[in-house]
Amino acid sequence: MEILGSTLTSTYGRHRPTPTNFLPAISTMSASYRNRFPHYTMSHSLTLPWRPSTYYKVASANPSLAPLSKSSPGLNPSQILSFPSNRTALFTRYTPDDWYKSNQVNYRDSESSRRSAERLRVDTSRLIQEKDQKTRKVQSDTNKDLGERVNDISFWKSEIIHEIDQMIGETNALSEMKRRMERALMETEGPLQVSQECLYHREKRMSIDLVHDDVEKQLIQEVDCIKSCQEKMRRHLQKISAQLASNRAAQHELERDISDKQTALRIDDKCQNLRNSSDGIGYFRGVERMDATVSIPETWAKYSDDNILRSQSDRVASTKLREDAETILASTSNDMWGQFNAVNVNFTSRISETADAKNKLQNHLAKTLQEIFQTEMTIEAIKKAIKDKSAPLKVAQTRLDERTRRPNVELCRDSVQMRLIQEVQDIDNTIQALQLRLREAEDALQMLIHTKSILEHDLAIKANSLFIDQEKCMGMRKSFPSTPRLVGYA
């Protein structure tokens, strides 16, 4: 609060005229300034200078000169008015309540300002920490992504290098392997006969086990694969030049792809090793808005995968064209061995499934037999319970019958009579419920017996299927022509 009343404390050079109405002496009003404001509402703002004339206008007291005379005995009015500065100084100061409230307002404003500053400081510190953590996390995630990208490039690089090596070896051995084709063609007859016999044996499966499962699909695919390989070896022995050109084109694409991946690997490895303290880093404004990419991860992987698949296809085609004898025979051998292993894996899986189903059927059969025994015991228990309820029913009905012979007014429908009637009804309901449960138990027993026969029949089917797959088919597939014989070596 601004104190602006000090300019009104000057004394007068001469006596002021005595006003008609003025305030009482200081001693009579001193108590009113101690603990409270005046009871009226101030008509001016507390921020404005204090105006004693305003107080004069709103004051309602009309004191006389008697208080002044009594408080100053022996003095006349002219002597009393010789010190006007005392009263003027009194009216220009604030009250103690003003001083106290001003201090309280300053304290509260100070505390509020400090709290606001403290909150701002704490929030700013937290914001700085959060942004710093976020920046480090984003940079760490970027380094992780770069590491994964380097691993992806390295993986495809190793795959392409492997395929290039395969293609070079296949191309170099192309002219030397023609004489081995006829022997390889003869070696394919044995696996073809085994596959066909497996299909014939599996036709002897019974009932629900006669399914077109994965084993049968793979056997059919194996027969088709062997026949396809034979046809390729018969028809394409003379097409060497075209296949060599195709092999060289595929090799060129792989070598160009491996060169691009080597450059990309070097760049990404350099980016991964960059740190905040590394040399050579700088600002490149707007680079994040430039999209100079020409592919996405899917098309990027598909490009290398297509190159590898093309090379593999050319190697398989080399087998068809047979001038590249080693490529043709290696591909044929790989295809046949792969399909042979796939059939064996499916056979093993099917045998395991059949054996597991057989064991579960045996467990279910044992549980069913146990449940049949328990159900039969339950039926006997229900029958015994029904039989045991006959005696209480007879007693209750006999009591009712005897009580009907009471004479005259003694034939009363008392609580005993009501209780006996309720007892008969309860026992009847119990017997009916037990009889209903007996019929349900007998139906369940018949269903269990039917289930038992089904399980026993299914067990016989599973045993037959297990014998065909495990003993007959897998017994024939224990031997398979070795890879050297499949590629034409004697």
Side-chain angles (χ1 to χ4, degrees):
M1 182 180 294
E2 184 180 3
I3 301 175
L4 301 173
S6 59
T7 58
L8 300 177
T9 61
S10 61
T11 59
Y12 293 95
R14 58 185 178 84
H15 296 293
R16 294 177 62 185
T18 301
T20 58
N21 293 322
F22 54 89
L23 294 174
I26 296 175
S27 61
T28 62
M29 297 187 64
S30 59
S32 64
Y33 286 89
R34 290 177 182 174
N35 298 318
R36 60 182 179 85
F37 283 110
H39 70 278
Y40 56 85
T41 304
M42 299 294 290
S43 62
H44 63 281
S45 174
L46 293 177
T47 60
L48 297 177
W50 186 270
R51 296 177 58 196
S53 61
T54 304
Y55 189 83
Y56 293 143
K57 292 179 182 180
V58 299
S60 60
N62 295 317
S64 65
L65 295 176
L68 295 176
S69 299
K70 292 179 181 180
S71 62
S72 302
L75 296 177
N76 55 29
S78 62
Q79 291 174 337
I80 295 173
L81 295 174
S82 62
F83 301 100
S85 61
N86 295 334
R87 183 174 299 281
T88 305
L90 174 65
F91 292 143
T92 59
R93 291 192 178 95
Y94 292 99
T95 65
D97 285 344
D98 293 336
W99 179 84
Y100 176 76
K101 291 183 178 181
S102 174
N103 290 337
Q104 295 299 321
V105 169
N106 290 335
Y107 299 157
R108 288 194 297 270
D109 292 343
S110 176
E111 291 177 357
S112 176
S113 299
R114 290 198 306 273
R115 286 195 297 268
S116 298
E118 183 179 2
R119 285 195 301 270
L120 179 61
R121 178 167 46 82
V122 172
D123 292 342
T124 303
S125 177
R126 185 171 60 251
L127 178 63
I128 292 173
Q129 293 178 359
E130 290 176 355
K131 295 304 180 182
D132 186 55
Q133 292 176 359
K134 181 178 180 181
T135 301
R136 288 197 299 269
K137 183 179 182 301
V138 170
Q139 192 177 63
S140 176
D141 293 341
T142 303
N143 290 337
K144 181 180 178 181
D145 292 340
L146 282 171
E148 292 177 355
R149 182 63 176 179
V150 168
N151 291 335
D152 292 341
I153 295 175
S154 299
F155 168 76
W156 283 110
K157 178 184 173 183
S158 63
E159 292 293 321
I160 294 172
I161 290 175
H162 175 72
E163 185 61 31
I164 288 175
D165 294 338
Q166 293 290 330
M167 179 60 72
I168 291 174
E170 183 178 350
T171 303
N172 292 336
L174 179 62
S175 59
E176 300 176 3
M177 303 302 297
K178 183 177 180 180
R179 57 185 176 83
R180 294 158 41 191
M181 180 177 292
E182 293 180 357
R183 291 195 298 268
L185 185 60
M186 294 175 60
E187 291 293 337
T188 59
E189 294 296 333
L192 179 61
Q193 184 177 0
V194 170
S195 300
Q196 291 174 342
E197 287 182 4
C198 288
L199 287 173
Y200 296 150
H201 283 304
R202 286 178 61 82
E203 291 296 325
K204 298 177 183 179
R205 293 173 296 168
M206 299 184 298
S207 186
I208 191 63
D209 276 17
L210 191 62
V211 295
H212 186 58
D213 54 4
D214 291 338
V215 177
E216 188 171 350
K217 293 177 182 177
Q218 292 296 327
L219 283 171
I220 294 174
Q221 188 173 349
E222 185 178 29
V223 171
D224 294 337
C225 177
I226 295 173
K227 290 183 178 180
S228 175
C229 291
Q230 290 176 344
E231 185 65 21
K232 291 175 184 178
M233 287 187 290
R234 291 189 184 101
R235 294 189 307 170
H236 301 287
L237 291 175
Q238 304 302 322
K239 299 180 180 179
I240 297 175
S241 299
Q243 187 58 47
L244 284 173
S246 179
N247 289 349
R248 293 192 184 98
Q251 181 179 344
H252 175 72
E253 290 295 328
L254 291 173
E255 289 174 349
R256 186 174 65 175
D257 195 2
I258 199 66
S259 176
D260 294 343
K261 280 183 170 46
Q262 184 66 32
T263 304
L265 183 63
R266 177 179 55 79
I267 293 173
D268 284 345
D269 186 65
K270 177 183 177 182
C271 292
Q272 184 187 11
N273 293 324
L274 284 178
R275 296 295 182 266
N276 295 333
S277 58
S278 300
D279 296 333
I281 60 175
Y283 292 105
F284 298 91
R285 298 296 183 184
V287 69
E288 70 277 3
R289 295 191 296 270
M290 297 173 58
D291 189 6
T293 58
V294 296
S295 65
I296 59 177
E298 290 77 9
T299 57
W300 172 81
K302 187 176 184 300
Y303 177 75
S304 298
D305 188 50
D306 289 344
N307 287 336
I308 294 174
L309 290 176
R310 177 187 174 185
S311 176
Q312 293 174 347
S313 176
D314 286 337
R315 286 193 289 115
V316 174
S318 297
T319 305
K320 299 176 184 178
L321 301 175
R322 216 47 235 148
E323 272 292 326
D324 192 357
E326 187 172 0
T327 302
I328 293 176
L329 294 176
S331 177
T332 304
S333 175
N334 290 336
D335 292 341
M336 293 177 64
W337 264 108
Q339 189 61 39
F340 174 78
N341 292 330
V343 173
N344 288 347
V345 167
N346 281 275
F347 258 119
T348 303
S349 176
R350 186 60 178 174
I351 290 171
S352 176
E353 290 176 357
T354 305
D356 185 57
K358 181 182 177 183
N359 293 333
K360 289 181 178 179
L361 286 172
Q362 289 175 344
N363 291 335
H364 282 283
L365 181 60
K367 292 178 181 179
T368 302
L369 292 175
Q370 181 65 26
E371 191 63 29
I372 288 174
F373 174 76
Q374 295 293 337
T375 304
E376 290 174 349
M377 297 296 294
T378 301
I379 291 173
E380 294 298 327
I382 295 173
K383 289 180 179 179
K384 184 178 181 301
I386 293 173
K387 183 178 180 181
D388 292 339
K389 296 297 180 294
S390 61
L393 181 61
K394 290 178 182 179
V395 172
Q397 290 180 347
T398 302
R399 287 175 177 175
L400 283 173
D401 183 72
E402 289 296 330
R403 286 176 63 85
T404 57
R405 297 183 178 86
R406 290 175 294 172
N408 299 325
V409 75
E410 294 299 327
L411 192 62
C412 178
R413 191 178 182 86
D414 53 6
S415 59
V416 177
Q417 185 75 11
M418 299 297 295
R419 185 61 183 172
L420 285 171
I421 294 173
Q422 183 64 35
E423 182 180 4
V424 171
Q425 293 176 352
D426 291 342
I427 295 174
D428 284 337
N429 292 336
T430 300
I431 293 174
Q432 291 177 4
L434 290 173
Q435 290 176 347
L436 177 61
R437 186 55 55 88
L438 177 61
R439 290 192 295 272
E440 292 176 354
E442 290 174 347
D443 292 339
L445 179 61
Q446 294 299 321
M447 183 177 63
L448 287 172
I449 294 172
H450 179 67
T451 302
K452 171 179 169 293
S453 64
I454 293 176
L455 291 175
E456 291 174 346
H457 179 68
D458 205 5
L459 272 173
I461 294 174
K462 294 295 183 294
N464 178 68
S465 299
L466 197 60
F467 174 76
I468 291 174
D469 289 341
Q470 191 171 14
E471 300 297 331
K472 291 188 176 181
C473 294
M474 290 303 293
M476 292 187 298
R477 299 182 66 85
K478 290 181 179 179
S479 60
F480 192 80
S482 63
T483 302
R485 297 181 65 182
L486 288 176
V487 296
Y489 292 107

